[in-house]
């Protein structure tokens, strides 16, 4: 077993019950996984049952921000509850399909981060603005400065919740299939099909003035 | 509002608190979203707190299957509990980044399915085999028949849980930015950047016999 740095102290629920060699607890790995996408799945408990919703997030240092309408149920719940709303926020990249000789050893190459903690509604206006910029820039780096900032009415309609990175783990699978030695001579193809998100040619909004060029930061996606 | 068919009866928790026009309850839409990917985020409650884990799934008719090691915690919990484990299973496709003139109207084009229900461990061996084939074929259509099926030892090490499609909703956003009329003359580019998963050239496993060609079903991805 290789030794990896530990920035986030492992807890009972961040140590996986299996494939422990895939777990990581260092800040560099966790931040890199969080910063390479913008979609998370946010879990919370409502009336005793789990709810998992896809939503956007942004990171500022050791804090993640999620936003929504002030009319949305989880954000209202976070705002009303004291001491906050227990959540689990999960981010997953699929990097490859792993095809083994046996059905059993089929797998996925992936990088994931799971954050456990308590979400609190942000009430400070400056922190809300910073969070909203981070959310927009997490989808398209550089975009926040190239759009109209939220006005007072929009800020009032937007709830922002924060979740600090304390109880955090990353999990990574890389490499080819782990076939059993006795299967290696079977006649099936085995290997990895790489997967990554692909960005198409930007489609201008209906009525966009023809003089407005596609910005450079979109070419960098 | 357009009228859409309803196969899954809406409930308090499958009717969104906002953007209700994006919700769908018909089987065709739900199945199509479920069948176009293989990764879900499975939520459950452990010690009163939410847990969200990325995992693979397969669909057979009106049932979803998820699998794992018999040593994994959620599956053990589903097996032990009577009457099963309350879960929320969510599947999300990102189809585009929506860049509006205002930061506020930035969005994502997406298709998602949220399934609420109770997961039960599958104990019938034939149903387990059907489920595992569906899981493999959901990742790569046609692959289950082109790999070695699970043997008795592998089956014994694999827990399969089932979740029936009863309390289900889909949610879809399409189209360009919804800018406010007074923002339309702002000098920022606006529009949609399409996003889709891209599959790279298959990489053969180390030591794969050179005579084994890349199968046709991989070209279809």
């Amino acid at each position: 077993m290789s030794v990896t740095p530990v920035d986030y102290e492992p807890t009972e629920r961040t140590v996986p019950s299996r494939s422990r060699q895939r777990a990581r607890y260092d800040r560099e790995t966790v931040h890199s996984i969080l910063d390479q996408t913008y979609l998370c799945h946010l879990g919370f408990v409502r009336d005793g049952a789990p709810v998992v919703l896809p939503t956007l997030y942004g990171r500022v240092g050791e804090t993640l921000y999620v936003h929504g309408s002030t009319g949305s149920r989880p954000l209202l719940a976070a705002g009303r509850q004291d001491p906050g709303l227990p959540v689990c926020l999960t981010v997953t990249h699929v990097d490859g399909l792993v095809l083994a000789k046996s059905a059993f050893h089929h797998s996925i190459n992936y990088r994931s981060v799971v954050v456990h903690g308590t979400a609190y509604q942000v009430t400070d206006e400056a922190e809300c603005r910073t969070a909203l910029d981070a959310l927009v820039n997490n989808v398209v780096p550089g975009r926040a400065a190239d759009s109209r900032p939220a006005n007072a009415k929009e800020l009032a309609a937007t709830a922002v919740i924060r979740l600090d990175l304390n109880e955090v783990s990353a999990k990574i699978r890389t490499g080819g299939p782990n076939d059993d030695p006795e299967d290696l001579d079977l006649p099936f193809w085995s290997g990895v099909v790489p997967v990554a998100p692909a960005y198409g040619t930007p489609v201008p909004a209906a009525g966009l003035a023809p003089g407005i060029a596609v910005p450079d930061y979109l070419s960098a996606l």
Side-chain angles (χ1 to χ4, degrees), chain A residues 25 31 106 221:
Chain A
Y25 303 95
H31 288 187
H106 277 63
L221 285 177

Side-chain angles (χ1 to χ4, degrees), chain A residues 72-204:
Chain A
S72 93
R73 287 179 288 202
L75 294 156
L76 282 178
R80 276 200 303 257
Q81 285 189 13
D82 181 20
L85 180 72
V87 297
C88 180
L89 187 155
T90 300
V91 171
T92 309
H93 301 261
V94 175
D95 296 324
L97 314 180
V98 182
L99 281 68
K101 299 277 190 177
S102 63
F104 184 76
H105 282 298
H106 277 63
S107 189
I108 294 283
N109 281 339
Y110 64 92
R111 289 164 294 141
S112 65
V113 163
V114 176
V115 184
H116 298 273
T118 302
Y120 300 93
Q121 192 159 348
V122 175
T123 52
D124 179 72
E125 185 185 313
E127 186 178 359
C128 275
R129 289 194 175 277
T130 302
L132 294 174
D133 281 354
L135 273 151
V136 169
N137 284 332
N138 201 33
V139 179
V140 179
R143 177 65 182 181
D146 195 36
S147 57
R148 176 178 66 67
N151 58 35
K153 187 181 154 199
E154 291 167 346
L155 269 186
T158 305
V160 175
I161 62 174
R162 62 177 288 157
L163 172 64
D164 290 335
L165 296 174
N166 289 314
E167 194 171 351
V168 184
S169 60
K171 211 170 162 189
I172 300 177
R173 189 204 189 278
T174 58
N178 295 325
D179 270 308
D180 297 324
E182 60 268 31
D183 287 335
L184 291 176
D185 289 336
L186 291 174
F188 312 119
W189 188 88
S190 63
V192 175
V193 182
V195 185
Y199 296 90
T201 305
V203 180

